[in-house]
Amino acid sequence: MDKWFTVDRIDEDTYIISEYRHWDHIGGHKYFPDFYAHEEELGLL
């Protein structure tokens, strides 16, 4: 199995942990009146 998560280090105390294979979970945002996302990701939502 390929790596499930990617881990990127920003600085000594900060990491970004991403999960690239769970696209089935992004559709639920329509059930929340307010949600936040990075402006570069809004097209994916």
Side-chain angles (χ1 to χ4, degrees), residues 1-2 6 8 12 16 19 23 34-35 37-38 42:
M1 176 189 281
D2 293 335
T6 60
D8 296 303
E12 186 176 311
I16 299 172
E19 182 179 19
W23 289 102
D34 299 309
F35 69 94
H38 190 281
L42 290 176

Side-chain angles (χ1 to χ4, degrees), residues 10-28:
I10 295 176
D11 62 33
E12 186 176 311
D13 298 313
T14 310
Y15 293 82
I16 299 172
I17 302 172
S18 298
E19 182 179 19
Y20 289 118
R21 295 206 166 86
H22 279 91
W23 289 102
D24 60 330
H25 294 178
I26 66 171

Side-chain angles (χ1 to χ4, degrees), residues 29 35-45:
H29 70 276
F35 69 94
Y36 300 90
H38 190 281
E39 64 184 24
E40 292 184 8
E41 295 180 336
L42 290 176
L44 298 172
L45 299 175

